[in-house]
Amino acid sequence: MDSSKTVSRRKADVPAIRSRASDKNQFFQEVKVSAQLDLRRVLGLLEDPLTTNLKERHLFVLRKTLKRSQNGFLLKELADVARILNICAAKVKDHPEYGLILCEALQICRLPFLKEKTSDELNYAQDVIEFLSHMGCLMRVSDAEVRHEIVECVKSFYSCVAPTQLLDGLRPTSPGYRLQLLEHSDLAQTLFLSMSALENQPAIKLQLLQTLQILSRSSDLNCALILEARGAEAICLHMNEPDPSGCILSRSSEILWNLLERGSREQVTRQLCSMECVVSLKEAFFQQLMNCSLPRDLQLRNDLLVVTTLIAESPNSLLIDSLFAKQLMAFVTFPELRKPKSVASSFKLSYNSEDLEMKKLLLNLLVLMSKDVAAVQLYKEEQVMLALLTLIKPPPAPLQRRPGSRHWSRFQQEELQLQALAAFSSIAPLMLDEYMCCQGNACLLLLLDWCTGKDASSGEGHSFHGTGGSGSTKAQMRYCVRTLRSVTSAGEESVNQDLCDQGIISQLLGILMQMEEGSDEDDVVTLEMKSDIQLILSALCETEMHRKELFGSEGVEMAIHFLRKGSDKFYSGLGHNKLILSTVDCVWSCIVGCYTTEDYFLAKQGVFLLLDLLSSSPRCVHGVVLATLLELCDNPSALSHILSWTDEGGRSAPRLLLQLWKEEEEELGVRRDTHGVIADPQKPILSSYQEEDSQLLFADNMLSAAVLEISENLRSKIYSIFARLGFQDLPGLSKPDHVTLSIVRRYLDFKVCEVWEEISREVRLDGMRPISPDEEALSTICRISEDAAKKVIAEQKRLLEQQEKEDASEEEHMYKEMKSHWNQQELEAKSWDRYISKSLNYETLKKHTESSRSKSELADAALHTEERFTEQVTSDTQEPVGVKLTVARASLKTGAQDQVQATAQDPEYFSTASVKGS
């Protein structure tokens, strides 16, 4: 019995254990339900007018509630928690004890929110956004501890804090969930706006700045919210406040950097362009410039200078009005120019990397400010041109430096030289008087000489300016040539004449050909320099005959060399397209117009090369090539070159020009039929673009559309070339080409009538009526144009009919040849059939064999008779004394022999004459 009792007890224990497990799960469910009911009861307790003043009870219930949620708030509870926190915040002013509740709740908010189901993150996303927004509103509580907890709570969002222990069925939200929803809340903007309430709490303000720095660094949306509240302006205005810690300026600078990088740069610049912000920025910069020496402080100084540079890009910057620019100019020219009374006289350079960066930023600032005329005047007063020319001079040899003196290293000096050259190319054209006074031409030519010399430095300190020129002076040469191009393109005659007097033409030609010989494959930098050199030569020689003579045969050889390269690499992306255009421009400006260079160019087959380029180049090059050919047509020798040219396919120059004409009219949408005949006599050359603009009114100072159209397409140039070549006896033209040529011949007449038609249309659009004689004249002109177009149409149709007749005649001749060929093949087939029939039919073959034998016997008998006759004649004849007789044996053939020989020959299959005879 004892054993049975024991067994029964064990059986009874099993369901008891299961009952406890189910009770535990049920307990957790009850806890969750009761928790939600508790929050509603807490809200009822706090909001009920009967219990609103029961502070002790409130505090007890709130502490109990927070203790229950010490591992984190549930997502579905956040709406109720936000209401509770707002009620507590309202009571803090009268009852500071509620501040402790807020601090405890904010400490719990550092933990990830909890979810029961995966879908909770999506279902309660809006509640999380509103909760985070309410959290920022808690900064209205003046209690320092509450504000500290808010700031620390937001900072904790960017670190991983895991809850210690969770109930079954609860999981923390993903790490990025809260940060993603934070961007959609207005927490960043609310925190920024609360800075104005922290004047008496500098420690909290510093922490808030650090939090704003984190928020602005991590999200573009946060930056947009801060900028919406004019955050850049406020940060800049408060960066110079008293700060024992020395961190406000650095953190303010970091926030401005983040706003520039992740926010709208235009919006930031617009907010910083006020006079107050510029003055605040100036004070902060010079405070760092004159009083700091640590690398961290020097970097902060450079960051402030970058912000200043961004302000300088705005056309509304007040750098000059605030005297900030004038003070900066003293440091731009330091240490190249040492002025005793300057602001920079007490400044000491360390010649470290931070000072080098500052110097480069100041040089870059010159370029950005040069758009303002007042800034250029300031450059003149501060002798900026002289300082730049000092920087771009070739570096002195190591032995020339004074021992013991502090200076830039060789690499640093190269970087400054390139940065100064980059700034110089933009500023020099704006200050040509100062440029000439400081002998800028001589300085640049000396630098160019140094770049091509053998004693040049290795070029290892180029930074980003040295692209494509590492280990050489290519970068210096690139910027030097670019500066010369910008100076010569300004068109100042005194500057260009001074360059020519110093021999720049021959120097550049030598450098160009030296570069061409020394490089197997061109890179971007090399091609850019070649193009710039050609543009410099074009600018110098365009209007001066003597300079074209100086260009001479050496320059012609250079142009011929580059023309021979053709346009195969036009779309390579390296710059060959610019080089082709600059080469043609060089021919136009430096060769055309001078008979000696023109004749040498023609002797070197330059016209052929231009026509080759015209036939192979894309459409964008055709304009300059045609213009150059048109200018060359003034030389009588050039016309024969044009007429004698043919391309690889045998196409002549007139035919090429007419093909370009057709392509141009197709591009313009001129009305033509399928054969190229004028489709509308009233609009023989009118383009579709002109028809679209026909109803528009033009200002009095604007050219008409008909006149502007001449310079915008190729038709006028092609017509002018044909006017030089003539319209008769042109080589290599077909009848369709003559159809197009008939339009080209009357182009000028059509264009004149088109201009008059446009005048008449504008008069009508203006609501005016010309007097009767003028109206009659206008109608007569229009009628003359239409009659001329009809005559051209008739001529075109005549040419097409003639072409059709010629085509029909050629077709008929071709058919006759084909018929004769087929007849020949039929006769050969019949002959072969006869031969085969003789070979296959036994009776026919037998008769043919017997007749052949009889014929051969007759032939042998005749041959013996001939031999006997010959022997008898020889024996009967007596030879006279002194006379030697020789009897010639003649071949006497009988008819039978002839027939035998004919039979012995090849059959009739091999003799078409016998067949034809039959």
Side-chain angles (χ1 to χ4, degrees), residues 29-66:
Q29 296 294 334
E30 291 176 357
V31 167
K32 296 174 185 176
V33 174
S34 63
Q36 189 172 5
L37 294 175
D38 287 345
L39 286 179
R40 293 179 182 175
R41 290 173 183 174
V42 171
L43 283 172
L45 180 65
L46 294 174
E47 294 177 344
D48 192 344
L50 299 177
T51 60
T52 186
N53 295 323
L54 301 178
K55 182 180 70 172
E56 296 297 334
R57 187 174 179 183
H58 291 173
L59 296 175
F60 175 77
V61 172
L62 290 172
R63 287 193 182 96
K64 186 177 179 180
T65 303
L66 294 178

Side-chain angles (χ1 to χ4, degrees), residues 858-872 892:
L858 292 174
D860 292 339
L863 181 61
H864 293 312
T865 304
E866 179 185 356
E867 290 178 352
R868 287 196 299 269
F869 175 77
T870 304
E871 291 175 357
Q872 185 177 359
L892 301 178

